[in-house]
Amino acid sequence: MTRVVLAPDSFKGTITAADAVAALADGWATVEPDAEFVHRPMADGGEGTVAAFAAAVPGAERMPVTVDGPAGAPIDTAWLLLPADAETPGGTAVVDLASTSGIELLDELRPADADTTGFGQAIAAALDHGVSRVIVGIGSSASTDGGTGMLTALGARFLDAAGAPVARGARGLLDLASVDLDGLRVAPEVRVLTDVTNPLVGPRGAAAVFGPQKGLLPDDIERVDAALARLAGLLCLDSSLPGSGAAGGTGAALVAWGAALAPGAAEVADLVGIESAIRGADVVITGEGSYDGQSGDGKVPSFIAGLAASAGSTALLAAGRITDDSDTTLFTASVSLTALAGSSAAALAEPAHWLREAGALLARSR
């Protein structure tokens, strides 16, 4: 009997990791009905991080909160309260940027004005509750504001040359002249789950690499990159720090607040017991919405493939799309839902259906 571990990330904006696991298992079972399936939905700090913790930790409680979304309009969301223990008498809060200031919350891209205020408001709500530790996931950002919105919600002030607060988002960064941290709330233990290792500035920085995804034009990128460098100077930060460019520079802002950056996939994997689940598995299936040139840089599929290789298991990939610049040599077989469905639109319209088809195809590939 084949033991199959299913450990995909969510397919951003289309299907959750848990539902992707179920669909892949259903598809595989049509080919091999007696296979043993081990469900381990994953996340790496982006969309689905709160859900992964909620599924893995008994007694976790969703805490509703209303925050300013990335475009400034109120949205209803939640942070997650993990039970208290001897080390965390106030409990642990899990807050993800995706559900508070994420790009999927926008009707249209707002490269100049989107910001991370809502993310900071959710963190502030957790602090008001009295938590002892905060775990934050910072994938799926909508903005390149250097985390200034988040820090503003926590009491910092970002000022222009006249001493007035700057506008929200990247637009405000361009006018930034000084920073006042006197009112910034004291950070408890804060751990940051991030899916990238990019620095804050430069050719691999937040503006250059991720800015275009958020709508920044080539002329904007150079100005925003310079503004992020100025922000780093004002916050006394090393702009080359790996991970500081995550979430439009929010990684840097969190470090300035006193947080520690950690690889998101590894942290979540440890929580849900991925390594022990893979040990002894015949096959491990992972995946994500877009497997591309960035997927080998700290994201779920490459991390899971590495664990599978160490355990002597066969690693397989199912992704919404697989781009030409991606490295699929980590996997014995891979399936693109876009190729399977015939178009991106068709794959996006019925992700569960095409994941079932992918599961069956991967089962036949062995």
Side-chain angles (χ1 to χ4, degrees):
M1 181 172 63
T2 304
R3 187 168 190 259
V4 183
V5 174
L6 301 130
D9 199 349
S10 64
F11 285 53
K12 189 178 295 185
T14 60
I15 190 168
T16 67
D19 288 342
V21 164
L24 287 165
D26 287 346
W28 189 288
T30 64
V31 177
E32 190 179 359
D34 62 346
E36 176 192 356
F37 298 105
V38 180
H39 292 208
R40 289 294 186 272
M42 277 289 296
D44 56 15
E47 182 183 63
T49 297
V50 164
F53 276 85
V57 180
E61 181 182 359
R62 286 178 61 84
M63 307 293 287
V65 64
T66 300
V67 303
D68 294 344
I75 60 167
D76 294 325
T77 184
W79 56 278
L80 191 70
L81 178 64
L82 306 185
D85 57 26
E87 293 183 359
T88 58
T92 296
V94 183
V95 186
D96 70 39
L97 188 149
S99 65
T100 54
S101 303
I103 196 167
E104 299 297 331
L105 301 175
L106 291 176
D107 293 329
E108 60 181 357
L109 296 178
R110 295 175 177 266
D113 303 309
D115 83 328
T116 53
T117 295
F119 181 47
Q121 290 170 336
I123 295 172
L127 297 181
D128 290 343
H129 188 80
V131 298
S132 304
R133 178 173 59 189
V134 178
I135 298 173
V136 294
I138 59 171
S140 306
S141 167
S143 64
T144 313
D145 76 338
T148 53
M150 177 203 70
L151 290 179
T152 297
L154 294 171
R157 299 174 71 229
F158 296 89
L159 310 171
D160 63 19
V166 299
R168 290 187 177 188
R171 186 188 308 278
L173 275 184
L174 300 178
D175 296 326
L176 182 62
S178 65
V179 174
D180 177 2
L181 301 181
D182 288 348
L184 183 62
R185 299 182 68 157
V186 176
E189 178 190 347
V190 182
R191 197 157 184 82
V192 184
L193 310 186
T194 177
D195 58 359
V196 300
T197 56
N198 298 68
L200 181 62
V201 301
R204 292 190 63 249
V209 175
F210 306 113
Q213 301 169 4
K214 300 163 189 178
L216 287 181
L217 299 176
D219 288 347
D220 301 325
I221 289 171
E222 185 175 348
R223 294 191 302 144
V224 173
D225 187 68
L228 288 170
R230 185 164 61 252
L231 173 67
L234 292 169
L235 293 176
C236 300
L237 281 173
D238 176 4
S239 62
S240 67
L241 178 70
S244 59
T250 304
L254 284 160
V255 169
W257 191 40
L261 301 175
E267 291 288 316
V268 176
D270 182 61
L271 172 78
V272 302
I274 283 286
E275 195 165 353
S276 60
I278 289 176
R279 197 176 302 123
D282 300 292
V283 174
V284 181
I285 305 177
T286 187
E288 63 182 348
S290 177
Y291 187 78
D292 53 35
Q294 297 176 21
S295 294
D297 200 10
K299 293 183 180 288
V300 166
S302 60
F303 178 79
I304 295 297
L307 291 181
S310 297
S313 304
T314 298
L316 305 175
L317 173 73
R321 65 168 185 157
I322 300 175
T323 64
D324 292 339
D325 65 340
S326 62
D327 178 11
T328 58
T329 60
L330 300 170
F331 305 97
T332 301
S334 57
V335 178
S336 159
L337 304 193
T338 296
L340 203 57
S343 71
S344 177
L348 290 168
E350 296 184 283
H353 168 76
W354 294 111
L355 279 164
R356 285 191 290 272
E357 293 294 316
L361 190 61
L362 289 171
R364 296 189 190 100
S365 74
R366 294 190 68 231

